[in-house]
Amino acid sequence: MDEDCLRNVFFSGKGDSGNTYLVDGRKLIKDDPILDLIGTIDEVNAFIGLAISIIEEPELKKDLRIIQVSLSKIMGVIAGASESTADDFNTGKSTKWLEDKIDFYSRELDNPKSFTFSGKTKAGAVLDICRTVTRKMERQAVGAFRGNSKFENKILAYMNRLSSLFYILRLSADKSLNTSK
């Protein structure tokens, strides 16, 4: 294969001027709030990947993969992907799934009576990073979605539940090794 042809698969050079294009063709400057949000969603997904590489429990790994797929679909919707992508992601159903997972993973947890710090387990620490970056993602979404009711309520609710789930998962990971005290 021609080396120049292969190289062009990995970069286009179109963003060298500080602009980029969304899936729907909109041209944005790279510090646009929408691009900050898309970047943070990507960051959350990367940290979830790190969590998956550390966690040994198959069911939790499966749940984290489901979250990665959901976040990828949200990214696509925000970037202006086709309506079929938007229709493929049911925010109400996905938010309910998160609520069910919060109930499932918190069933054997005591509510902490004071602020707790991560770092008791590697898995708990990485899940706490997922939580904090998800909170950042949610804050950025509020600004990026301002005035765009297409996104506001449903995606913000999903993001809010996701950060709550990561908090529960962190507490659960720490408790699973009897180190939460």
Side-chain angles (χ1 to χ4, degrees):
M1 178 176 258
D2 184 337
E3 191 174 306
D4 286 335
C5 180
L6 180 62
R7 187 178 67 200
N8 290 334
V9 170
F10 297 106
F11 72 91
S12 68
K14 293 178 182 177
D16 292 352
S17 64
N19 296 305
T20 194
Y21 296 87
L22 295 180
V23 174
D24 64 5
R26 284 181 286 160
K27 181 179 177 181
L28 297 177
I29 192 158
K30 287 189 176 184
D31 68 352
D32 187 281
I34 289 290
L35 294 175
D36 275 342
L37 175 58
I38 290 170
T40 302
I41 295 170
D42 193 31
E43 189 177 352
V44 171
N45 257 340
F47 280 119
I48 293 171
L50 179 60
I52 290 169
S53 76
I54 292 171
I55 292 167
E56 295 182 16
E57 184 183 330
E59 190 64 29
L60 179 52
K61 284 181 178 230
K62 179 182 167 194
D63 289 344
L64 292 172
R65 285 282 186 219
I66 290 169
I67 293 167
Q68 283 184 312
V69 170
S70 294
L71 288 174
S72 294
K73 289 179 182 180
I74 288 172
M75 251 193 309
V77 169
I78 293 168
S82 69
E83 286 298 318
S84 63
T85 302
D87 291 342
D88 187 41
F89 181 70
N90 181 324
T91 50
K93 184 177 177 181
S94 296
T95 301
K96 173 72 170 105
W97 181 86
L98 290 174
E99 291 169 349
D100 291 344
K101 291 298 173 177
I102 290 168
D103 289 342
F104 174 79
Y105 286 107
S106 66
R107 70 182 185 263
E108 294 182 17
L109 293 176
D110 296 325
N111 191 5
K113 303 291 186 237
S114 61
F115 189 80
T116 61
F117 295 98
S118 63
K120 293 175 178 137
T121 64
K122 286 180 185 179
V126 172
L127 290 164
D128 206 35
I129 292 170
C130 290
R131 178 192 61 82
T132 62
V133 180
T134 298
R135 288 280 191 220
K136 177 173 71 170
M137 173 183 71
E138 183 184 6
R139 290 189 304 272
Q140 288 174 331
V142 168
F145 295 164
R146 192 166 285 128
N148 188 342
S149 60
K150 174 182 173 184
F151 298 124
E152 279 181 11
N153 296 331
K154 292 179 180 179
I155 291 178
L156 287 175
Y158 179 87
M159 291 177 177
N160 186 269
R161 293 310 178 289
L162 182 57
S163 63
S164 296
L165 177 60
F166 283 131
Y167 177 67
I168 295 302
L169 291 177
R170 192 268 285 183
L171 293 175
S172 181
D174 287 351
K175 182 176 180 161
S176 69
L177 293 180
N178 295 320
T179 60
S180 61
K181 296 198 188 284

